[in-house]
Amino acid sequence: MPQYMLSIHHDDDYAPGDEEMAQIAADVDALNKELAQAGIEVFGGGLHPASTATVLRVGAGGDVLVTDGPYLETKEHIGGFWVIRAADLDEALEWGRKATRACHLPVEVRPFHTEAEQ
């Protein structure tokens, strides 16, 4: 079955209140259980803020440069994700709809390359 990434996007300063965060946590926990029961979750998780990122780049002469901070200087970043198996894009989008409702945030759905495409 094809795999899809459902990524959660939010602003760097995203900080829901305690009540909203409790509801989001409950909704995401319910979604995680539903994904597990459906047998389609490969893995997923939340990420620390983009400010904790470390970026590696190949520099001149092949040296690898290491810098602190996110790769892109943007106000939005990926805050978490799921990788799922779905029969097709329509099924993956249905799970994406459930994810955006659970997180109260935008969710991007993207397919992974298949072996046949590589």
Side-chain angles (χ1 to χ4, degrees), residues 47-68:
L47 300 171
H48 285 278
S51 61
T52 66
T54 303
V55 179
L56 302 135
R57 291 182 174 90
V58 175
D63 292 336
V64 176
L65 307 173
V66 180
T67 56
D68 292 333

Side-chain angles (χ1 to χ4, degrees), residues 1-6 32 35-36 38-45 81-86 112:
M1 239 197 261
Q3 293 183 348
Y4 295 84
M5 184 167 102
L6 283 58
N32 288 338
L35 287 164
I40 65 164
E41 182 179 30
V42 176
F43 66 94
F81 64 93
W82 293 271
V83 176
I84 65 168
R85 289 182 200 90
F112 279 88

